Amino acid sequence: MKRIFLVSIIILSIGATATRAQERELHAGVSESGFSPIRLALPDFTNRSDATPVEAATHDLLRVLWNDLDFNGYFRLVERGYYDLVPENRTNGIPFDDWTSIGADYLLLGEIDLEGQRLLVESRLYDTEHSQMIFGKRYRSEPDVWRTVSHRLADDIVLHFTGRRGISQSKIVYSARKGEGKEIFVMDYDGAHQQQITQNGSLNLFPTWSPDGEQIAFTSYLEGWPRLYVLDRDGKQSRPLPGWEGELTAAPEWSPDGRWLAFAANRDGNSEIYKMKISSGRLVRLTHHRAIDSSPSWSPTGREIAFTSDRGGRPQIYVMDAEGLNVRRVTFEGNYNDLAAWSPQGDKIAYAGRDRTFDIFVLDLATEAVQRLTFGPGNNESPRWSSDGLHLVFTSSRGGDNALYIMDAAGGRLRQIGPPHGAEGPDWSR
Amino acid sequence: MRNLFNVVLAASLLLALPAFVSCKAKPSSPGPGPAPSVEMETEDVTETPAPSPRRPTEMESERIESSLSAEAYNRENVLKTVYFDFDRSNIKDEYKAALRQNASWIKEHTEFSVMIEGNCDERGTNEYNLSLGDRRANSTKQYLTSLGVPANRLRTISYGEERPAVRQHNESAWSKNRRAEFRIVDR
């Protein structure tokens, strides 16, 4: 995956009359819950070449694109069964009325060809009601990175409609059982390209992405005691952070500016929250309490940190400012709430709450309303947000063994991704 | 073996006796006859061979035992595991006697250090459990030092819920997994 993704993009044309009001309406719609999704038809791309790599890519590329657009939450894809009702393109062009009649407000068409040794993907988006093209892009790539083309196209379409960066090119890092230990793995957000990036046979836990997606911090027992390490995204270079032999250091979290790591450490007989400046190793202690303080999560501004503490008797979520002052409790329902994950927009905190088993909850910080997103079975924990704030990845034992699942921020579109057994502790790249 | 040596000794003395007598009879003739050589053989049997095969064997067997003993003691579970209530790290009364025994064993065996390993059941989150296991290990360490075990001979580590004693998902398994184990290590 380190191969440079060479893709050239040419904006073919932009429909001049795509109304700005219409786009604003769409944009406003998606920021609310219960918005009406964009109704899009996505028929098979046309294969312009009989070369084998194109044949293989045509089907797979569309499948991945369909999955991306279906999952991201902005679209409702018109069922493929209706596409047969639309006649082939006539001499006078695309039969927009027929597409409209099966419920497609928008239509995405694509062609795939081979240009020399490279894959050429050309895609055009049409507004069927106004019978006009509103977006068009051409992508060139090595044939074996067609999947990346799909994700890029999906994100470009999302950007066009919403003005937001999509999540189709994002990655998920996680810890998975391997032999006697647990190793760190990276995969695409849809579960493809699973890649093991540690190979030390020890316990490797709690991986988290740096904000730029270039590095991963995690806890490893490599030297016999839990210590923090930073690893390149491809696993090639790893370095330990300053540590203290035998002392617990766990669950590192990057500050939004990438300069600090917050983590839980035991330096004097009790677990407290610390932050360390990565460049200098300077250590700042943030909590001072006899209770267990663990699992820090930065607010997107970097000004506050959410964490777990049992200072009230049972584990609950607290918030403090990034210097450790102004500690306040934010969860009050339930008697065991843990693993806070601050949303990228800053308005919500997802966490795991226990009632016999763990489920995922979301706290709205402005209204203090709590929404429960999962209802078992098994334990559902370690929620992490996608960068658009519309999705969560988490660990669930609903299938018997721990595996990773993704869902939208209202608890819908649940699906298992990655290895079916022994995966846990995910983090979603920005 | 000892009996055999006694028999040989007695036989040698009997054999030597006439020669000794004859020597006394003729003190002026030490002569190169067989008699003196019999006397020397007798000395060889009584002094050198008897201790030599036995003492080195005894010493070697002691040295082997001491080099294996950290492992051997661990296999024999000489230090007793203690168990905790859910989400708790205080030492329960029922395990204080076991910890007193552990403390006196550690104090007697000054050649070792002890690693206290804190563990949890699977019901908490992995991250919180790592801290909870750490706290269990430390509260166990504190109890042992209060009984006079030098703190510098005790180390702690937490495995959270990563090293369950019983890989099942019920209260019986959980109660066996909420524990502090002791691992004897060379200093």
Side-chain angles (χ1 to χ4, degrees):
Chain A
M1 274 313 294
K2 199 59 201 171
R3 174 205 294 263
I4 298 169
F5 171 52
L6 293 170
V7 56
S8 48
I9 303 158
I10 299 165
I11 298 181
L12 300 174
S13 75
I14 295 174
T17 54
T19 61
R20 281 166 172 266
Q22 190 180 13
E23 286 187 25
R24 267 204 303 278
E25 194 180 329
L26 287 166
H27 195 170
V30 295
S31 65
E32 307 292 327
S33 60
F35 66 92
S36 45
I38 300 157
R39 298 182 60 85
L40 175 71
L42 182 56
D44 286 340
F45 281 16
T46 308
N47 182 0
R48 294 288 181 209
S49 160
D50 49 8
T52 316
V54 179
E55 191 68 48
T58 305
H59 175 74
D60 293 338
L61 190 144
L62 189 84
R63 183 173 49 81
V64 171
L65 180 64
W66 183 287
N67 181 54
D68 284 347
L69 295 177
D70 183 47
F71 180 73
N72 67 32
Y74 298 111
F75 301 97
R76 179 174 298 153
L77 298 178
V78 179
E79 282 179 46
R80 294 173 60 85
Y82 294 117
Y83 298 178
D84 290 342
L85 302 174
V86 178
E88 295 288 310
N89 287 357
R90 291 175 298 226
T91 46
N92 57 345
I94 300 163
F96 288 111
D97 290 348
D98 294 301
W99 285 108
T100 308
S101 73
I102 63 164
D105 296 333
Y106 296 90
L107 170 67
L108 186 72
L109 297 179
E111 294 176 1
I112 305 185
D113 203 349
L114 208 56
E115 190 181 67
Q117 292 302 308
R118 309 183 72 200
L119 206 61
L120 178 70
V121 179
E122 209 170 274
S123 184
R124 293 175 176 80
L125 181 67
Y126 298 91
D127 175 342
T128 56
E129 192 188 345
H130 300 91
S131 304
Q132 62 187 239
M133 185 178 127
I134 57 172
F135 163 95
K137 279 197 178 181
R138 185 179 293 141
Y139 304 82
R140 290 185 179 84
S141 79
E142 301 300 316
D144 57 348
V145 297
W146 56 265
R147 188 178 275 275
T148 313
V149 175
S150 289
H151 292 323
R152 180 65 181 270
L153 175 56
D155 279 349
D156 284 340
I157 293 167
V158 168
L159 184 68
H160 177 79
F161 273 113
T162 69
R164 289 187 185 186
R165 206 156 52 88
I167 57 162
S168 297
Q169 299 173 90
S170 63
K171 297 192 179 293
I172 288 170
V173 65
Y174 58 100
S175 173
R177 221 167 38 229
K178 187 91 182 174
E180 291 294 298
K182 290 180 177 176
E183 303 282 0
I184 307 295
F185 291 73
V186 169
M187 64 183 175
D188 292 355
Y189 94 96
D190 60 2
H193 289 142
Q194 295 167 26
Q195 188 190 1
Q196 184 178 342
I197 58 166
T198 61
Q199 321 262 356
N200 59 37
S202 185
L203 279 172
N204 301 282
L205 306 167
F206 317 132
T208 51
W209 289 106
S210 64
D212 62 6
E214 292 299 317
Q215 292 180 302
I216 293 157
F218 63 105
T219 297
S220 177
Y221 282 69
L222 183 58
E223 292 166 60
W225 45 277
R227 181 173 189 171
L228 301 186
Y229 292 78
V230 170
L231 185 68
D232 286 354
R233 61 182 286 174
D234 56 8
K236 291 219 170 67
Q237 283 201 319
S238 117
R239 64 186 169 98
L241 290 172
W244 309 272
E245 182 169 355
E247 292 177 0
L248 171 81
T249 44
E253 282 289 324
W254 301 79
S255 63
D257 63 9
R259 292 160 67 197
W260 296 83
L261 278 176
F263 52 91
N266 176 357
R267 303 213 58 204
D268 53 8
N270 187 42
S271 172
E272 306 281 355
I273 308 292
Y274 291 79
K275 65 177 181 182
M276 181 189 286
K277 194 157 198 183
I278 296 164
S279 57
S280 65
R282 183 161 75 89
L283 192 67
V284 180
R285 179 171 168 172
L286 298 179
T287 59
H288 300 78
H289 204 283
R290 289 168 49 84
I292 288 177
D293 297 310
S294 61
S295 302
S297 172
W298 296 82
S299 74
T301 61
R303 287 204 290 266
E304 290 179 298
I305 294 173
F307 64 103
T308 303
S309 178
D310 69 350
R311 58 187 65 193
R314 289 288 180 184
Q316 295 288 350
I317 312 287
Y318 291 74
V319 169
M320 61 183 165
D321 70 31
E323 309 307 318
L325 302 173
N326 300 316
V327 179
R328 66 184 202 273
R329 180 173 163 179
V330 296
T331 55
F332 296 92
E333 292 179 28
N335 61 12
Y336 193 137
N337 296 311
D338 194 3
L339 300 177
W342 213 310
S343 73
Q345 286 67 36
D347 55 341
K348 292 171 183 164
I349 289 177
Y351 60 94
R354 183 173 185 276
D355 170 25
R356 290 209 355 255
T357 58
F358 281 99
D359 276 299
I360 309 294
F361 294 80
V362 170
L363 167 71
D364 186 309
L365 288 167
T367 65
E368 297 184 0
V370 172
Q371 189 187 2
R372 181 173 177 169
L373 298 188
T374 63
F375 296 83
N379 282 310
N380 300 277
E381 52 186 284
S382 305
R384 295 302 178 109
W385 298 88
S386 60
S387 64
D388 60 9
L390 296 175
H391 304 88
L392 290 158
V393 61
F394 62 102
T395 309
S396 177
S397 63
R398 60 185 58 214
D401 192 5
N402 274 348
L404 304 182
Y405 290 76
I406 52 179
M407 63 182 175
D408 66 37
R413 294 168 193 269
L414 178 77
R415 60 185 69 174
Q416 197 263 313
I417 51 153
H421 301 289
E424 63 186 32
D427 190 34
W428 206 326
S429 74
R430 307 271 169 93
Chain B
M1 278 295 279
R2 195 172 289 276
N3 288 344
L4 182 60
F5 280 120
N6 288 344
V7 170
V8 170
L9 181 61
S12 307
L13 287 171
L14 283 173
L15 282 172
L17 196 57
F20 186 68
V21 171
S22 69
C23 276
K24 264 198 167 174
K26 299 180 188 176
S28 60
S29 62
S37 70
V38 170
E39 229 173 3
M40 285 179 73
E41 277 177 17
T42 307
E43 280 182 359
D44 277 353
V45 171
T46 53
E47 287 182 8
T48 325
S52 67
R54 303 177 65 80
R55 266 199 210 130
T57 307
E58 272 173 337
M59 288 174 70
E60 277 173 22
S61 76
E62 268 185 11
R63 285 173 61 193
I64 288 167
E65 200 172 72
S66 77
S67 75
L68 283 180
S69 55
E71 277 302 308
Y73 284 131
N74 283 324
R75 274 199 302 275
E76 288 170 22
N77 291 320
V78 293
L79 297 180
K80 300 303 174 200
T81 301
V82 296
Y83 298 89
F84 298 86
D85 285 339
F86 174 67
D87 197 29
R88 289 280 174 263
S89 56
N90 56 299
I91 302 297
K92 297 169 74 176
D93 288 342
E94 60 195 283
Y95 296 110
K96 287 179 177 169
L99 286 181
R100 279 195 295 275
Q101 284 177 28
N102 287 357
S104 37
W105 191 95
I106 298 167
K107 281 190 278 189
E108 279 168 26
H109 294 77
T110 53
E111 69 272 32
F112 300 119
S113 289
V114 171
M115 179 70 84
I116 307 171
E117 302 175 342
N119 293 275
C120 304
D121 69 31
E122 63 181 357
R123 287 180 296 167
T125 62
N126 298 41
E127 294 182 21
Y128 182 81
N129 276 341
L130 208 55
S131 296
L132 180 60
D134 189 69
R135 193 150 78 170
R136 284 175 178 162
N138 275 289
S139 86
T140 308
K141 177 181 175 178
Q142 273 169 24
Y143 194 78
L144 291 178
T145 53
S146 78
L147 297 172
V149 179
N152 63 8
R153 292 187 48 212
L154 300 173
R155 286 187 281 158
T156 59
I157 190 169
S158 172
Y159 288 111
E161 62 182 83
E162 306 294 340
R163 296 272 161 88
V166 181
R167 286 189 186 272
Q168 284 168 9
H169 315 288
N170 51 53
E171 179 50 44
S172 163
W174 294 330
S175 63
K176 292 183 182 71
N177 292 337
R178 296 188 296 263
R179 70 200 193 280
E181 285 186 10
F182 301 85
R183 190 156 52 85
I184 300 160
V185 291
D186 291 319
R187 294 189 79 170

